[in-house]
Amino acid sequence: IGEVAGGGGGHCHIETDIISTVEFNHTGELLATGDKGGRVVIFQREQESKNQPHRRGEYNVYSTFQSHEPEFDYLKSLEIEEKINKIRWLPQQNAAYFLLSTNDKTVKLWKVSERDKRPEGYNLKDEDGRLRDPSTITTLRVPVLRPMDLMVEATPRRVFANAHTYHINSISVNSDYETYMSADDLRINLWNFEITNQSFNIVDIKPANMEELTEVITAAEFHPHHCNTFVYSSSKGTIRLCDMRMSALCDRHSKFFEEPEDPSNRSFFSEIISSISDVKFSHTGRYIMTRDYLTVKVWDLNMENRPIETYQVHDYLRSKLCSLYENDCIFDKFECVWNGSDSVIMTGSYNNFFRMFDRNTKRDVTLEASRENSKPRAILKPRKVCVGGKRRKDEISVDSLDFSKKILHTAWHPSENIIAVAATNNLYIFQDKVN
């Protein structure tokens, strides 16, 4: 297990380098990260070589480009951050790759393609690209393609702007590959990839009087196989499943998932920590997984009244909610991911810890992504957090956890046991030691 990519050459922590999203493409050959500075970095997996078969799996930088720039909304006197909130890959149709990236307001479709030949011998231009004087052109030349060093180019193909009043928190590509949706705090819009100047509003929970606002949309995702079905989660800890065949505006959900609150756990923070920060369909489409502040839950689409599985991510923080509220950590938005076979789920925690839960064996493990324990091919040691007085030598006391080091964004290779973990401004890539 080894760290493959360190953040920005290991320099001191620059705010813009903080990784804000991580996403494998559909084959797992590419891995994209977005950061607070509006940049997208794409890593490509190295091909296996005959003499070094174990080197397969290393990810190297393939392309880096500036996706979003800081903007200013003059009407509202608001600065619009360039930070990349989400990246979603489109399934590959030809030699080029396509991905969607979004900041708070604008979604962009990027094409990433390779060029290793260049045309030479234009008729109207000279070799430096300057236009020739037409009166000097007396012969017709046939341009030829000459080999050149491989270049990876990223070009913006579409810009989907001006459709969101509030901050975009999710984008999701539909399984029809013709449409995608973007969700903000109060509305979800459906876009066609070909049409940039209009979108179709499919969910609107904005109350007529904003004083009556009680919940916001926190995440949304399309079903992996049924192009008419999507889910969205709310800050009240509920999930709504909607069917676009039933009505144009999906204000009436077709299913409503909510777990009744345990009165014995009720506290001042109950509402804040029940807010769902991420929702993900399983690859099969039968389950949805949700992450709230302390737990990950797995829901069966056929059972709305309670989850079929609940996993405690860091239950030892229950007694620390007061200080987590004071330092604003209680509002951190952790994501969660499935492995390729939906049998293991992963999510992040504090102190650069991340958690894995095996749904079949019910075993779970806490691992740490940090420079100290990520020498290439080093094995990660499970970590344990102890609450209370007695501490074994390899345990970490809950009072010494570093809440500034948090793993919010992780990704799992679609078919292999390779994971990407973003720890602030460092990206770690770990793989199963059997390969």
Side-chain angles (χ1 to χ4, degrees):
I1 297 185
E3 173 192 1
V4 173
H11 54 202
C12 57
H13 186 65
I14 297 180
E15 191 74 0
T16 54
D17 277 350
I18 294 175
I19 298 172
S20 50
T21 184
V22 191
E23 193 76 14
F24 280 101
N25 75 338
H26 293 257
T27 61
E29 288 301 301
L30 299 181
L31 170 68
T33 64
D35 67 19
K36 270 191 102 155
R39 282 185 305 268
V40 172
V41 180
I42 301 175
F43 299 88
Q44 184 182 43
R45 194 173 182 195
E46 218 169 79
Q47 292 306 312
E48 199 162 348
S49 62
K50 295 267 190 300
N51 47 5
Q52 292 175 305
H54 67 272
R55 272 184 68 86
R56 167 106 176 110
E58 290 217 358
Y59 283 80
N60 299 314
V61 174
Y62 176 65
S63 172
T64 304
F65 58 93
Q66 189 72 29
S67 172
H68 288 69
E69 305 277 355
E71 289 175 63
F72 192 77
D73 181 336
Y74 294 100
L75 292 176
K76 298 202 178 81
S77 292
L78 278 180
E79 240 171 289
I80 301 166
E81 271 195 303
E82 64 272 41
K83 174 185 163 217
I84 308 290
N85 292 343
K86 285 285 186 296
I87 289 173
R88 289 290 178 266
W89 291 90
L90 276 65
Q92 198 178 351
Q93 311 278 358
N94 52 29
Y97 301 98
F98 287 87
L99 61 86
L100 287 173
S101 67
T102 186
N103 67 350
D104 283 342
K105 296 287 176 192
T106 305
V107 184
K108 295 184 182 183
L109 174 68
W110 287 89
K111 176 186 182 179
V112 181
S113 52
E114 295 183 357
R115 250 205 358 219
D116 58 359
K117 294 184 180 64
R118 69 160 182 265
E120 267 181 22
Y122 287 103
N123 287 287
L124 303 178
K125 292 188 282 197
D126 61 22
E127 295 314 320
D128 300 327
R130 285 190 299 265
L131 281 173
R132 289 164 63 186
D133 175 5
S135 62
T136 64
I137 301 171
T138 54
T139 56
L140 190 64
R141 292 197 287 184
V142 179
V144 289
L145 288 172
R146 298 243 186 274
M148 60 176 234
D149 288 342
L150 178 70
M151 252 176 61
V152 180
E153 294 182 306
T155 45
R157 295 307 298 268
R158 304 264 189 285
V159 177
F160 304 89
N162 307 322
H164 285 278
T165 313
Y166 308 98
H167 294 341
I168 299 172
N169 55 48
S170 305
I171 45 178
S172 179
V173 178
N174 198 347
S175 58
D176 64 10
Y177 306 145
E178 290 175 15
T179 56
Y180 76 90
M181 68 176 167
S182 54
D184 67 26
D185 298 333
L186 297 178
R187 298 190 181 103
I188 301 176
N189 292 331
L190 182 70
W191 300 84
N192 186 304
F193 278 111
E194 301 301 318
I195 302 167
T196 56
N197 59 356
Q198 64 183 80
S199 61
F200 195 71
N201 181 231
I202 51 174
V203 172
D204 187 347
I205 64 165
K206 186 181 180 200
N209 175 8
M210 283 294 269
E211 308 276 301
E212 292 162 13
L213 183 68
T214 58
E215 66 179 329
V216 294
I217 298 166
T218 55
E221 191 180 55
F222 269 119
H223 189 284
H225 317 301
H226 303 314
C227 60
N228 50 282
T229 311
F230 65 94
V231 291
Y232 69 92
S233 57
S234 90
S235 54
K236 278 196 158 170
T238 63
I239 310 113
R240 290 172 176 83
L241 179 84
C242 302
D243 187 338
M244 292 191 289
R245 290 173 303 189
M246 287 166 62
S247 68
L249 191 63
C250 302
D251 282 354
R252 295 202 312 275
H253 47 266
S254 50
K255 289 192 176 184
F256 181 76
F257 300 85
E258 183 177 29
E259 184 169 34
E261 194 190 20
D262 175 1
S264 65
N265 270 341
R266 179 106 190 112
S267 77
F268 171 73
F269 304 108
S270 291
E271 251 168 55
I272 302 174
I273 64 172
S274 68
S275 175
I276 293 173
S277 53
D278 196 15
V279 60
K280 291 269 176 38
F281 271 104
S282 63
H283 293 81
T284 60
R286 167 147 187 208
Y287 304 103
I288 34 182
M289 162 168 57
T290 58
R291 171 76 153 94
D292 56 42
Y293 192 64
L294 295 177
T295 68
V296 172
K297 293 172 179 163
V298 176
W299 305 75
D300 188 315
L301 282 194
N302 302 320
M303 191 164 91
E304 298 169 60
N305 58 344
R306 62 192 164 88
I308 54 168
E309 296 155 31
T310 299
Y311 300 98
Q312 301 297 333
V313 177
H314 35 216
D315 206 40
Y316 45 78
L317 295 184
R318 227 174 255 283
S319 58
K320 294 257 174 284
L321 292 176
C322 242
S323 50
L324 289 162
Y325 178 76
E326 283 163 10
N327 66 14
D328 268 357
C329 284
I330 202 165
F331 301 108
D332 284 334
K333 293 177 170 50
F334 291 95
E335 295 167 11
C336 52
V337 288
W338 303 87
N339 71 340
S341 61
D342 298 334
S343 59
V344 183
I345 53 190
M346 168 172 62
T347 192
S349 179
Y350 294 103
N351 209 61
N352 279 351
F353 288 169
F354 58 99
R355 302 270 283 139
M356 287 185 174
F357 303 97
D358 187 311
R359 298 179 57 212
N360 302 324
T361 64
K362 300 298 175 207
R363 292 216 310 262
D364 65 279
V365 64
T366 302
L367 299 169
E368 181 182 1
S370 70
R371 292 240 155 147
E372 294 72 64
N373 61 11
S374 61
K375 308 278 180 289
R377 317 245 164 262
I379 305 257
L380 287 184
K381 288 197 292 287
R383 310 303 302 255
K384 283 214 163 41
V385 176
C386 74
V387 190
K390 275 217 153 99
R391 184 167 76 85
R392 296 207 191 95
K393 74 168 174 45
D394 55 345
E395 289 185 336
I396 297 122
S397 154
V398 68
D399 295 314
S400 61
L401 294 174
D402 185 342
F403 291 111
S404 68
K405 293 182 172 161
K406 50 192 91 165
I407 290 177
L408 304 174
H409 315 286
T410 60
W412 203 306
H413 187 289
S415 54
E416 295 179 46
N417 276 335
I418 299 174
I419 58 169
V421 175
T424 319
N425 59 338
N426 291 303
L427 177 70
Y428 296 90
I429 295 177
F430 301 111
Q431 63 180 20
D432 213 331
K433 66 174 184 287
V434 291
N435 307 16

